[in-house]
């Protein structure tokens, strides 16, 4: 996939506009008032963001023009759903939306369809591998994973190979009581422990306003980097409840820190 060409989808990427923060704020105010011209200008001013994202898919055999168009759809969805009251940068919100849109496109257009049972096998293997590494401080063999989850090693290898391309952090694992759990919820959040926004939510005064259970979940998830499954086991509630309480707690913290 050629991503170094100047023109993509008829757009000269060397002449894309670059908006200042003040311009973005003013345009977004107009967008919220229904100004379609402002929306168009905002889209053009963020096309560099789409370009930076599709470069991550340089190993894909997909046409760069196609990925750029799909990325633009993700960008427009991000603009239509962005909540300025959350006090996060638009790019922070938009990048996962663009990536998710592209990954869904690649998954849906992949010639190989991965069955739900095969995905479940892959997820079980991932959980088992993560648990083993935490306990033994080394990576397990396929035989050890197979013994842990009670599935033939041949099936595990096949499942892991099958999900390599289609899997997305935004793929749903299952839904319980109206709460959808995604692949990203199953993974230890090591990155978030290092990023600045975690330091913000750690402000003592804000954390003290949470309920005791919410505070415990935030500490386990973002200070200790535990998965939602591990938190659920430690707290004694379902993973869906952990997901719901975590989202409520983060929403409350963002509200307190405005």
């Amino acid at each position: 996939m050629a991503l170094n060409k100047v023109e993509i989808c008829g757009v000269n990427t060397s002449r894309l506009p670059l908006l200042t923060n003040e311009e973005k704020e003013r345009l977004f105010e107009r967008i919220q008032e229904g100004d379609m011209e402002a929306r168009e200008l905002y889209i053009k001013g963020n096309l560099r963001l789409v370009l930076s994202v599709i470069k991550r898919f340089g190993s894909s055999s997909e046409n760069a023009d196609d990925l750029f168009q799909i990325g633009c759809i993700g960008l427009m969805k991000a603009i239509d759903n962005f909540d300025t009251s959350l006090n996060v940068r638009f790019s922070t919100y938009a990048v996962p939306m663009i990536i998710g849109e592209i990954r869904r496109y690649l998954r849906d257009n992949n010639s190989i369809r991965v069955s739900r049972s095969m995905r479940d096998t892959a997820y079980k293997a991932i959980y088992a591998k993560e648990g083993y590494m935490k306990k033994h401080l080394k990576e397990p063999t396929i035989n050890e994973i197979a013994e842990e989850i009670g599935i033939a090693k041949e099936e595990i290898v096949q499942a892991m190979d099958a999900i390599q391309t289609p899997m997305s952090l935004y793929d749903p694992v299952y839904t319980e009581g109206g709460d959808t759990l995604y692949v990203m919820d199953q993974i230890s959040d090591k990155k978030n422990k290092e990023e600045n926004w975690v330091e913000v939510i750690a402000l003592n005064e804000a954390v003290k306003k949470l309920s005791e259970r919410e505070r415990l979940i935030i500490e386990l998830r973002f200070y200790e980097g535990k998965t939602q499954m591990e938190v659920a086991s430690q707290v004694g509630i379902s993973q869906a409840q952990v997901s719901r309480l975590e989202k409520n707690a983060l929403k409350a913290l963002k509200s307190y820190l405005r």
Side-chain angles (χ1 to χ4, degrees), residues 18-149:
L18 187 62
L19 301 175
T20 65
N21 290 332
E22 292 75 15
E23 288 174 327
K24 289 179 181 179
E25 289 179 6
R26 287 197 297 269
L27 283 174
F28 214 90
E29 289 175 359
R30 290 168 55 190
I31 291 172
Q32 291 177 317
E33 295 172 356
D35 189 328
M36 298 306 294
E37 181 183 358
R39 184 175 183 272
E40 187 69 21
L41 290 172
Y42 201 87
I43 291 172
K44 290 180 179 179
N46 283 279
L47 289 180
R48 292 176 184 271
L49 200 59
V50 177
L51 283 174
S52 68
V53 169
I54 67 174
K55 286 181 181 178
R56 304 185 186 191
F57 298 88
S59 60
S60 169
S61 60
E62 292 294 328
N63 184 278
D65 287 14
D66 293 339
L67 291 188
F68 184 75
Q69 289 183 35
I70 299 301
C72 287
I73 292 174
L75 172 63
M76 288 185 282
K77 287 184 177 181
I79 292 173
D80 293 340
N81 293 282
F82 184 55
D83 184 354
T84 55
S85 67
L86 296 179
N87 290 328
V88 297
R89 296 178 60 182
F90 174 74
S91 59
T92 302
Y93 177 80
V95 167
M97 293 281 284
I98 297 170
I99 292 175
E101 198 69 30
I102 293 174
R103 285 198 179 278
R104 277 190 291 275
Y105 169 79
L106 294 175
R107 178 194 62 202
D108 295 342
N109 285 274
N110 195 288
S111 59
I112 301 175
R113 293 294 183 265
V114 183
S115 68
R116 177 60 185 273
S117 61
M118 189 172 288
R119 284 178 180 272
D120 287 344
T121 296
Y123 296 149
K124 289 177 182 178
I126 292 171
Y127 306 153
K129 179 180 178 180
E130 183 176 327
Y132 186 97
M133 291 179 67
K134 285 188 175 182
K135 183 177 181 180
H136 301 283
L137 301 179
K138 65 176 184 177
E139 190 168 332
T141 64
I142 291 296
N143 287 332
E144 288 169 330
I145 295 176
E147 183 178 351
E148 176 68 23
I149 63 179

Side-chain angles (χ1 to χ4, degrees), residues 104-244:
R104 277 190 291 275
Y105 169 79
L106 294 175
R107 178 194 62 202
D108 295 342
N109 285 274
N110 195 288
S111 59
I112 301 175
R113 293 294 183 265
V114 183
S115 68
R116 177 60 185 273
S117 61
M118 189 172 288
R119 284 178 180 272
D120 287 344
T121 296
Y123 296 149
K124 289 177 182 178
I126 292 171
Y127 306 153
K129 179 180 178 180
E130 183 176 327
Y132 186 97
M133 291 179 67
K134 285 188 175 182
K135 183 177 181 180
H136 301 283
L137 301 179
K138 65 176 184 177
E139 190 168 332
T141 64
I142 291 296
N143 287 332
E144 288 169 330
I145 295 176
E147 183 178 351
E148 176 68 23
I149 63 179
I151 298 176
K153 63 180 181 180
E154 292 80 6
E155 292 183 33
I156 294 174
V157 172
Q158 184 180 13
M160 294 299 289
D161 286 343
I163 66 170
Q164 288 304 310
T165 299
M167 177 179 272
S168 165
L169 290 176
Y170 302 95
D171 281 350
V173 178
Y174 68 90
T175 300
E176 178 182 312
D179 295 301
T180 302
L181 300 176
Y182 299 90
V183 175
M184 66 186 301
D185 294 326
Q186 317 297 316
I187 302 172
S188 293
D189 203 338
K190 296 179 176 64
K191 181 181 179 182
N192 280 335
K193 291 195 297 180
E194 300 169 358
E195 292 183 346
N196 292 333
W197 77 275
V198 174
E199 296 177 1
V200 175
I201 68 170
L203 291 173
N204 291 332
E205 292 305 314
V207 174
K208 288 177 182 177
K209 294 180 181 180
L210 299 176
S211 68
E212 183 176 349
R213 176 170 284 182
E214 289 176 335
R215 189 161 59 248
L216 175 60
I217 289 173
I218 291 296
E219 290 174 354
L220 293 175
R221 282 283 286 150
F222 297 102
Y223 288 99
E224 299 183 21
K226 293 182 181 293
T227 66
Q228 289 188 345
M229 183 177 290
E230 291 171 330
V231 174
S233 176
Q234 181 169 336
V235 179
I237 58 179
S238 72
Q239 189 175 357
Q241 288 176 300
V242 171
S243 177
R244 183 166 55 250

